[in-house]
Amino acid sequence: MVVSEGSKVVSNSIFEKEIDKRKITDFLPHLGDEASAEVVELKKSLGEKGVKLEGIEKEIDRLKSEKVDSEKKVRELERKVGTLEGRELEEKSKSVRVEEEMREKIDDKEREISGFKKKVNVMESELDKWIVEKKSMEGSLKESESKSKEMEAKITELEKEIDEAKT
């Protein structure tokens, strides 16, 4: 007996068995009771095996259907995994880009801060010079005021002397 995947071949095989059963039935009158009983037993066994075969064929069809469904689910899950991996890769590259941009901004701000610190140092240096110059000027001013008072005192003294000399 040849069993094929298709149900038609199996059905043909069962059909051929029915023909064989008829041939056997035609020869029954020639056979004895013992042979007749054996034929009946074989027919019964053949029927049971046919039922079992049909059950197995249905189970095979069900399993094939489940396999196809499983393969579809696997392909769908693989597609979803691919999509998620793509999204994850996009997010990683986006975060790397953002991180690089932030580093550039931080570097720019650090350079800006460094420039401001240099300006502050230059201004503090100039301020120190101005403070020294101011102190020097204040010293010179006090000296000039002192000389000016001395001169005023001399002028006043000379004016007294001139007044005394006139009188």
Side-chain angles (χ1 to χ4, degrees), residues 1-18:
M1 170 170 71
V2 175
V3 177
S4 173
E5 280 187 31
S7 58
K8 291 182 181 178
V9 175
V10 173
S11 298
N12 287 341
S13 177
I14 293 172
F15 179 72
E16 290 172 0
K17 289 179 185 176
E18 287 295 321

Side-chain angles (χ1 to χ4, degrees), residues 2 15 83 89 100 111 117 120 127 135:
V2 175
F15 179 72
T83 301
L89 185 60
E100 287 175 358
R111 281 190 292 274
K117 284 181 179 179
V120 166
L127 179 63
K135 286 181 181 178

Side-chain angles (χ1 to χ4, degrees), residues 38-96:
E38 189 177 334
V39 167
V40 169
E41 185 66 32
L42 288 173
K43 282 184 181 181
K44 181 179 173 185
S45 174
L46 182 62
E48 289 172 356
K49 288 183 181 180
V51 169
K52 285 182 183 178
L53 182 62
E54 287 176 12
I56 291 172
E57 288 172 347
K58 287 180 182 178
E59 181 69 14
I60 288 172
D61 288 342
R62 185 186 65 78
L63 290 173
K64 285 180 182 178
S65 176
E66 285 180 7
K67 180 182 177 185
V68 168
D69 290 343
S70 295
E71 288 173 348
K72 284 180 185 177
K73 287 179 182 178
V74 165
R75 283 191 299 273
E76 181 65 23
L77 289 173
E78 287 174 343
R79 184 189 63 77
K80 286 180 180 180
V81 166
T83 301
L84 290 174
E85 286 174 344
R87 286 181 187 165
E88 181 183 10
L89 185 60
E90 285 177 23
E91 289 298 318
K92 274 187 176 180
S93 64
K94 183 179 177 182
S95 75
V96 166

Side-chain angles (χ1 to χ4, degrees), residues 105-122:
K105 287 180 180 179
I106 289 170
D107 289 344
D108 289 345
K109 292 299 178 185
E110 286 178 348
R111 281 190 292 274
E112 193 175 333
I113 289 170
S114 176
F116 288 143
K117 284 181 179 179
K118 286 179 183 176
K119 285 182 181 180
V120 166
N121 288 337
V122 167

Side-chain angles (χ1 to χ4, degrees), residues 142-158:
K142 284 182 183 178
E143 213 175 284
S144 293
E145 286 175 352
S146 173
K147 285 182 182 179
S148 170
K149 285 181 184 177
E150 283 177 20
M151 292 295 268
E152 284 178 15
K154 280 186 180 181
I155 290 174
T156 309
E157 196 177 305
L158 286 174

